[in-house]
Amino acid sequence: MKITFLGTGTSMGVPVAGGFRREELAHDPRNERTRCSVWVQSKGTSILVDAGPEFRIQSIKAKIQRIDHILVTHEHMDHVAGLDDLRVYSYINKAPIPVHASKKCIESIKTRFNYMFGRDKYPGSTSLDLIEANEPFKLGENQITPLPIKHGNLEILGFRINDFTYLTDVKHIPEKTKELIHGSKVIAMGALRWEPEHPTHQTIPEAVQTIEELEIPKAFLIHMNSYVDHEPTNQRLPDHIKLAYDQLTLTL
């Protein structure tokens, strides 16, 4: 299984609009972070998790030629704005692309992208098949487990794909979800900044503590903001926990 981190930045991206703090981070290209998304390839199945505002650019860099399924963690625009750019993949597939998400997220997608659905579907717009993800399911030979987590007060999903767990925008993980995560070999986890504490996102110290509790041997932090400098942060982290960066690839 090959994992490609398409984007690793917070909802505003790094640098933010206008380029604020760009000079402070320009010494390391890994500090340029587009909105969070990950691409998983395994045995003939191509799975995209979230499609943010920069998906078109991310897909060109990663040379994504096919998408068979999409997993959506939640309805915030930094995770769904790129759904419009998926139209070419539905053309290639000659069929709607299955999108697996929570019921609430599905309703939000239908509302925000109303021109993609129903009798008045705009000709040529992305074709999506929206499927509620509330139980484990298989995509090809991949075992997919939806992972209920809390983004502040908002209930969202993470996903476990075989032995890879992906949790973005996480603040709290229920005990039942921790049981579903146990045994993963690699985890990607949201970690907004060093400090101060945030009401809807884990800080880096909180994420490290959570990873240690879950006893996962290898971890990558995602969803970092403009105050996280890549290499100095890596030097402060335990050896088995590192920052992910855009276009980083792993084989699991």
Side-chain angles (χ1 to χ4, degrees):
M1 185 169 74
K2 183 179 179 181
I3 300 161
T4 303
F5 290 92
L6 300 177
T8 56
T10 187
S11 60
M12 297 176 71
V14 180
V16 300
F20 301 102
R21 287 193 53 78
R22 188 169 195 168
E23 291 183 3
E24 288 89 338
L25 297 174
H27 58 276
D28 190 335
R30 294 172 296 183
N31 286 328
E32 294 246 350
R33 305 180 182 110
T34 56
R35 266 58 76 91
C36 277
S37 177
V38 69
W39 176 36
V40 178
Q41 307 168 74
S42 65
K43 295 186 178 180
T45 304
S46 174
I47 302 169
L48 177 70
V49 184
D50 288 343
E54 293 99 353
F55 172 73
R56 182 184 67 85
I57 296 169
Q58 295 168 342
S59 70
I60 293 169
K61 289 183 177 180
K63 300 180 180 178
I64 302 176
Q65 298 298 303
R66 194 182 83 252
I67 294 174
D68 300 314
H69 296 270
I70 306 165
L71 310 178
V72 179
T73 60
H74 63 296
E75 60 269 25
H76 287 168
M77 287 302 285
D78 54 314
H79 298 267
V80 300
L83 291 176
D84 189 84
D85 287 327
L86 291 162
R87 67 182 77 173
V88 66
Y89 297 98
S90 59
Y91 299 166
I92 291 168
N93 293 355
K94 297 181 180 178
I97 304 172
V99 175
H100 307 266
S102 69
K103 182 178 181 180
K104 182 174 181 291
C105 182
I106 286 172
E107 292 305 315
S108 178
I109 290 171
K110 286 180 179 178
T111 300
R112 296 184 187 196
F113 299 94
N114 62 307
Y115 60 91
M116 294 182 185
F117 304 98
R119 291 184 302 172
D120 297 326
K121 174 179 166 59
Y122 189 81
S125 61
T126 309
S127 292
L128 303 175
D129 181 14
L130 302 176
I131 303 167
E132 187 175 352
N134 51 20
E135 297 288 344
F137 56 98
K138 297 271 284 191
L139 296 180
E141 296 186 8
N142 302 289
Q143 180 67 32
I144 313 297
T145 305
L147 302 171
I149 55 177
K150 296 293 289 291
H151 178 22
N153 292 324
L154 181 67
E155 295 182 357
I156 69 170
L157 293 178
F159 290 97
R160 178 171 177 172
I161 305 172
N162 301 324
D163 289 328
F164 172 62
T165 289
Y166 186 80
L167 304 177
T168 184
D169 291 42
V170 59
K171 180 64 177 181
H172 174 70
I173 305 175
E175 290 302 316
K176 288 185 178 180
T177 299
K178 289 181 181 179
E179 293 174 7
L180 297 173
I181 295 170
H182 278 303
S184 298
K185 294 179 180 177
V186 177
I187 190 168
M189 181 172 290
L192 182 67
R193 60 195 182 199
W194 282 104
E195 59 182 14
E197 185 177 348
H198 192 277
T200 65
H201 293 273
Q202 289 188 132
T203 60
I204 293 174
E206 287 172 334
V208 169
Q209 181 177 347
T210 301
I211 292 163
E212 300 285 12
E213 288 175 2
L214 292 169
E215 299 181 330
I216 297 176
K218 197 170 188 63
F220 293 89
L221 303 184
I222 57 174
H223 209 281
M224 291 81 65
N225 73 6
S226 299
Y227 290 88
V228 178
D229 194 345
H230 190 94
E231 192 53 38
T233 296
N234 271 349
Q235 292 174 6
R236 294 175 62 183
L237 291 171
D239 289 343
H240 65 294
I241 304 175
K242 297 300 174 192
L243 297 189
Y245 56 88
D246 289 21
Q247 302 299 319
L248 168 67
T249 61
L250 312 171
T251 301
L252 181 60

